[in-house]
Amino acid sequence: MGREIRLYIIVWVALMALLTATVALTFAPIGPLKTASNLGIAAIKAGLVFWVYMHLSKQPGLERVAALAAVAWLGILFTLTAADLLTRGWFHI
């Protein structure tokens, strides 16, 4: 088995383990930590997909910077959306 195929299988197993952790945490009575932990697991899964399956590890520096800028921009948009919802009183933490 080739080295690249072995890497794909290892990452797939890691993604399935993280999926199992996400489902298990959904039923765990941990209160407000549930959302934070599930978002952390989602970020790890997205990072694995970006790095391995989208071949970001093999790209030169400029493509990595562009991918990082896209993720940073997405974070800014989520932060501004959350700030808007919190100031309007749509949901309470």
Side-chain angles (χ1 to χ4, degrees), residues 34-79:
K34 188 182 297 187
T35 302
S37 59
N38 280 336
L39 285 174
I41 291 172
I44 294 170
K45 289 191 288 189
L48 283 172
V49 169
F50 278 156
W51 194 254
V52 177
Y53 291 119
M54 295 178 69
H55 304 288
L56 198 57
S57 62
K58 297 176 185 174
Q59 297 300 319
L62 189 58
E63 281 88 358
R64 289 182 187 182
V65 170
L68 184 62
V71 171
W73 182 246
L74 189 61
I76 290 169
L77 290 176
F78 278 134
T79 302

Side-chain angles (χ1 to χ4, degrees), residues 3 6 8 18-19 25-26 31 40 61 68 74 84-85 92-93:
R3 186 175 184 191
R6 188 175 316 159
Y8 288 154
L18 289 168
L19 173 66
L25 281 173
T26 300
L68 184 62
L74 189 61
D84 181 44
L85 290 174
H92 305 283
I93 294 179

